[in-house]
Amino acid sequence: MPARPAISDTSYTIISRWELREETPVLDVSFSQLGSKKSGASELKAEQLLKKLEDARIGRVLLLLQILHHGTMLALASYDGSIEFRSRDLSVLPMDDTPDKVSSLCQLGLAFNNREPCLHLALSPNAVAKAFFGKDHEIKTSEMHLDPTFVDSGGLATSDKLAAAFMIATAISEANNMGGNTNDDLLMTMQGMMRQMTAEQQRVLRRVFLKDLYTLFQFHEKLLEGLQSIERVIRPPQLCRCLSLQAALGDGGEKNNRTMASKVAYTALSMRNFALSSTMAFAKNATSSEQELNKPDVLQYLINLIAWFGTLADYICDQLLDLSRTLNVKKSFSLEAVKERVATLNTPVLHLVLSSFTRTLLRHNCRALRSIAPFTQSTQAQPGAPLHHLFSNLVAVFRMNIISPPIFENLLTESDAIVHKAYEGLSEQQKQETEFSILLMGEIPDFLSGAVQEILTSVVGKVRTSNANPMKVESNLAFKDWKILGLSDDPRSKLWRKQTRFDALRKIILPQNVRTRRCMRCDAVMEDILAPKVYRGGMVFGTMFRACFCGGNFVVDPPIEG
C-alpha cells in the first residue's frame, strides 16, 4: 500500500458559510391598483433564502466541527489534537475573565492540555472532554483543566465565576437532555479542576454551584417540606441529580475521605431508594391486583433494605451517644467542641438530624417500617405458609436492631420539635440559608447551639435510658459493624470497600462469580439482573433497577477471569 501523505505545515481547511434569511417579496406599487375579490390577494408569503458569505480559512486540517449551545458557539478539532472554541461568526473566543458575559468555559481559563496528533476525535455532549484515536491506534480520553498561567492568585473570584459558568452549562445540558444524564462530562471536568484548587477555592466553588443547582430545580423551597409532602418532593428525578452531583463533588477517591456534605447526600440517596421501593412494594399489580410485597424477589429485596436502614438508625444513635458521652455535655457544653469532634470523626449524624430534609426522610422511612411490621405477625409468617422462610427473615431483621424503630422514631420526632423551635422568628429565606449550610456545606450554624445541646442531653438521654441495661446497649452498638453504610473512614472500612463487591441498590455482598454492572457517575456496583419482564420483581425492579440510585447510567463490567 502506498504510504499516507504527511500533513504539512501549510495545510489548511476552508469552511464555507451560508446565511439563512427569511424575506417577504415586495410587489410593485402598480399591482396595488388592481382590484381583487379575494382578501389578502396582494400579500405574498415569506420565503427562505440562502446568502453566500465569505469563506473562512483555518490554518490546519480539521477533523470535527461541533455546534454548541443552540448554534451560538462552534468547537473546532484539528488533527494535532487541539480544540478551539469560536463564536458563530468564527471569531476566536479570548481567554479573559474580565467580561460580565461569558460564552464558554475556555474564557475562564479551562483548556485541553493534552495535544497529541490523532486520526479521529469526538467531543463529549458539553464539549469539555474528548476521546481521540491516536496514531498508535489507541483510544484515549482527556478533559479540560485549568490553565496554570490563568489561575487567579487569590482564586476566590475565579472560583465564583467558574461555579456560575458550570451552573449555566449544567442548566443548558438539563434543558437539552430530555430526562437523561448528559452532564457526567461536566462533573468529571469539575472534579479534575478542583484537584488543581486550594481547599478554600474548592469550598467556594461547591457552595456557589450547589446552591444554584438546587435553586435551578426549585428545591430550595422544598427542603423545609413536612412529613405529609416528603414523598412528592423525593419522587422527581431532579432531586436525585442534585444529590448525586453533591455526593460526587465531595468524593475524595481512594486517597482522601468524603466530605461531610458528600456523606449526607450519599446517605440521602440510599434513603430515597428505600422510601420509593417501600411505597412501590405496597402498590398493587395492575394485572393481578396483588401487592408487589407478596412476590418473593420483592420481599427479599425489601428485607435487605430494612436491614440497611436498621443499621443506619443504630449508627446515628451510636454516634450521638458517643458525642454526648465523650464531650460530657451535661456538665459543660461547647458547640465549638462538638464541631471539632464531628470534624475529627467526619461523621454526618448531626447533619442528618439537624437538616429538615434528611430528618423528614428518616421519619418517612420509620413510618414505612411501621407499615411493614404487622406482616411479621401475619399468617404468612406461620410455618407452612408459602413465603414462611422469607417472612421469618423479616422477623429476624426487625430483631437485629439494637435500637428499636419506635425509640429511633421518637428521637427524630423530638429533634424535629427542637429544631422547629430554634427556627422561630426566622424568615423563610433565613431558614433556607440555614438548610443550605447544613445540607450542602456540612456546617452547623451557631444559632443552633441550644438545639444541639438539647438533642445531645435530653433526647439522647432518653435513648440511653429506654433500655433496662443502658451499658449493654452502648456496648452492643460499639461492636456493631458499620462498613455497609459507607460512612466510616478507618483503614479497615476502606480496605473492605475496595475488596468487596457490594450491591449498592440491594445492599448485599455479591459473590465473585456474579456478573455486575457499574454506575458511570458514582462507580456503584450492582448485579446485572435479567430484564424486568423476565425477572420476577415486576414493577419494583423495573423502576428501581433501570438506573443507579444516584440517577447515573450503568455499563456492564467485563467478566472476571478465572
Side-chain angles (χ1 to χ4, degrees):
M1 288 180 62
R4 177 180 295 182
I7 299 177
S8 64
D9 295 335
T10 58
S11 302
Y12 58 90
T13 300
I14 297 294
I15 298 180
S16 297
R17 299 189 301 154
W18 296 78
E19 182 181 17
L20 179 63
R21 290 182 176 181
E22 189 174 86
E23 295 182 356
T24 302
V26 179
L27 294 176
D28 189 88
V29 292
S30 59
F31 283 93
S32 61
Q33 300 174 1
L34 299 176
S36 176
K37 296 182 179 180
K38 296 182 180 179
S39 60
S42 61
E43 297 179 3
L44 298 179
K45 295 182 179 180
E47 297 179 350
Q48 291 183 339
L49 303 175
L50 279 175
K51 178 184 178 182
K52 183 73 169 67
L53 301 179
E54 183 180 356
D55 291 339
R57 184 180 186 276
I58 308 297
R60 55 190 179 278
V61 176
L62 296 182
L63 300 179
L64 174 73
L65 189 151
Q66 184 166 319
I67 301 175
L68 307 172
H69 297 177
H70 301 284
T72 60
M73 190 172 67
L74 302 175
L76 308 181
S78 63
Y79 76 97
D80 60 356
S82 63
I83 309 291
E84 191 176 57
F85 295 93
R86 300 197 178 201
S87 61
R88 186 161 45 187
D89 59 359
L90 290 180
S91 60
V92 179
L93 295 174
M95 186 180 290
D96 183 10
D97 72 336
T98 54
D100 296 329
K101 295 182 179 180
V102 177
S103 303
S104 170
L105 291 172
C106 67
Q107 289 183 271
L108 294 176
L110 272 82
F112 288 97
N113 297 336
N114 186 3
R115 295 182 59 174
E116 182 178 333
C118 55
L119 303 176
H120 187 64
L121 187 145
L123 289 175
S124 64
N126 297 289
V128 293
K130 65 178 181 179
F132 57 95
F133 187 65
K135 290 186 175 181
D136 54 359
H137 292 189
E138 293 281 337
I139 298 177
K140 302 175 184 179
T141 60
S142 175
E143 70 271 6
M144 277 184 161
H145 294 84
L146 278 176
D147 192 325
T149 62
F150 186 75
V151 178
D152 184 28
S153 57
L156 295 184
T158 301
S159 299
D160 194 20
K161 290 186 177 182
L162 282 169
F166 270 103
M167 186 62 253
I168 294 172
T170 304
I172 294 174
S173 174
E174 288 291 334
N176 293 336
N177 65 10
M178 300 299 291
N181 268 339
T182 57
N183 52 26
D184 285 345
D185 56 340
L186 289 171
L187 174 60
M188 179 178 66
T189 304
M190 286 186 70
Q191 289 175 321
M193 181 188 67
M194 290 174 68
R195 286 192 287 269
Q196 299 178 259
M197 294 180 167
T198 64
E200 179 64 16
Q201 290 172 339
Q202 293 179 18
R203 190 188 68 82
V204 172
L205 187 140
R206 277 197 297 264
R207 174 184 286 276
V208 175
F209 177 78
L210 292 175
K211 185 176 179 180
D212 289 346
L213 181 69
Y214 278 80
T215 305
L216 169 69
F217 292 115
Q218 299 179 346
F219 283 112
H220 61 296
E221 301 174 354
K222 300 177 183 178
L223 296 178
L224 295 165
E225 292 284 353
L227 189 61
Q228 304 302 322
S229 55
I230 185 63
E231 190 169 330
R232 188 177 71 248
V233 174
I234 65 176
R235 188 173 291 275
Q238 289 84 355
L239 175 64
C240 184
R241 295 176 198 167
C242 292
L243 290 172
S244 65
L245 284 171
Q246 177 180 335
L249 289 178
D251 190 352
E254 295 183 359
K255 296 183 179 179
N256 301 311
N257 299 328
R258 279 184 179 270
T259 63
M260 198 80 70
S262 176
K263 288 185 175 182
V264 171
Y266 179 80
T267 306
L269 284 169
S270 294
M271 289 194 295
R272 175 184 180 270
N273 181 52
F274 175 44
L276 296 179
S277 298
S278 59
T279 301
M280 292 181 188
F282 281 100
K284 291 186 178 180
N285 192 292
T287 56
S288 61
S289 299
E290 181 185 10
Q291 278 188 332
E292 296 281 306
L293 185 63
N294 294 324
K295 296 182 177 180
D297 294 307
V298 174
L299 182 56
Q300 183 60 61
Y301 167 61
L302 205 59
I303 289 172
N304 298 331
L305 294 186
I306 293 172
W308 174 88
F309 185 75
T311 303
L312 176 64
D314 286 345
Y315 173 78
I316 292 174
C317 293
D318 173 65
Q319 295 297 302
L320 291 176
L321 287 166
D322 175 75
L323 287 172
S324 176
R325 180 180 60 252
T326 305
L327 299 177
N328 199 8
V329 293
K330 285 188 176 181
K331 291 186 177 181
S332 61
F333 176 81
S334 170
L335 183 61
E336 292 302 320
V338 173
K339 290 181 180 180
E340 184 178 351
R341 177 68 176 171
V342 168
T344 302
L345 298 175
N346 198 24
T347 175
V349 289
L350 266 181
H351 304 80
L352 292 172
V353 174
L354 291 175
S355 169
S356 297
F357 169 69
T358 53
R359 185 178 62 252
T360 306
L361 192 52
L362 285 167
R363 294 179 64 197
H364 175 78
N365 288 343
C366 287
R367 188 168 60 176
L369 290 182
R370 276 195 278 121
S371 302
I372 298 172
F375 283 85
T376 61
Q377 307 295 330
S378 66
T379 56
Q380 293 175 313
Q382 304 301 321
L387 300 179
H388 163 65
H389 64 290
L390 288 178
F391 280 97
S392 299
N393 293 341
L394 182 62
V395 174
V397 165
F398 273 96
R399 292 176 178 173
M400 283 170 51
N401 297 331
I402 300 174
I403 303 297
S404 64
I407 294 176
F408 181 62
E409 188 173 7
N410 287 337
L411 180 149
L412 296 172
T413 304
E414 294 186 17
S415 300
D416 188 68
I418 292 171
V419 175
H420 277 295
K421 184 179 179 181
Y423 277 1
E424 290 180 357
L426 297 181
S427 64
E428 288 299 315
Q429 184 176 359
Q430 289 174 323
K431 293 178 183 178
Q432 291 173 14
E433 290 293 333
T434 302
E435 291 295 324
F436 275 134
S437 298
I438 300 172
L439 180 65
L440 274 61
M441 300 306 299
E443 300 171 350
I444 301 177
D446 292 337
F447 81 91
L448 290 178
S449 175
V452 174
Q453 182 179 8
E454 191 172 354
I455 291 173
L456 293 181
T457 53
S458 174
V459 179
V460 173
K462 292 179 181 179
V463 175
R464 183 179 285 112
T465 58
S466 61
N467 193 282
N469 191 349
M471 294 299 295
K472 182 180 179 181
V473 172
E474 293 193 43
S475 62
N476 289 340
L477 288 172
F479 286 100
K480 190 164 182 177
D481 197 346
W482 315 114
K483 292 193 296 289
I484 65 171
L485 299 177
L487 300 176
S488 304
D489 298 324
D490 58 281
R492 183 165 166 262
S493 298
K494 288 183 176 181
L495 182 63
W496 181 86
R497 289 197 292 267
K498 185 177 181 180
Q499 296 178 345
T500 307
R501 299 203 300 172
F502 184 71
D503 194 313
L505 270 76
R506 295 186 295 164
K507 307 300 181 186
I508 57 174
I509 298 176
L510 297 174
Q512 293 297 322
N513 59 347
V514 171
R515 189 172 184 178
T516 58
R517 48 183 179 169
R518 189 175 300 271
C519 176
M520 294 188 293
R521 168 165 289 190
C522 70
D523 202 39
V525 174
M526 76 163 293
E527 182 181 358
D528 187 29
I529 61 174
L530 298 175
K533 291 183 179 179
V534 180
Y535 204 72
R536 292 174 294 173
M539 179 179 64
V540 175
F541 289 102
T543 303
M544 302 308 299
F545 289 1
R546 185 169 47 199
C548 180
F549 70 100
C550 77
N553 298 318
F554 283 113
V555 291
V556 179
D557 283 334
I560 299 177
E561 297 181 0

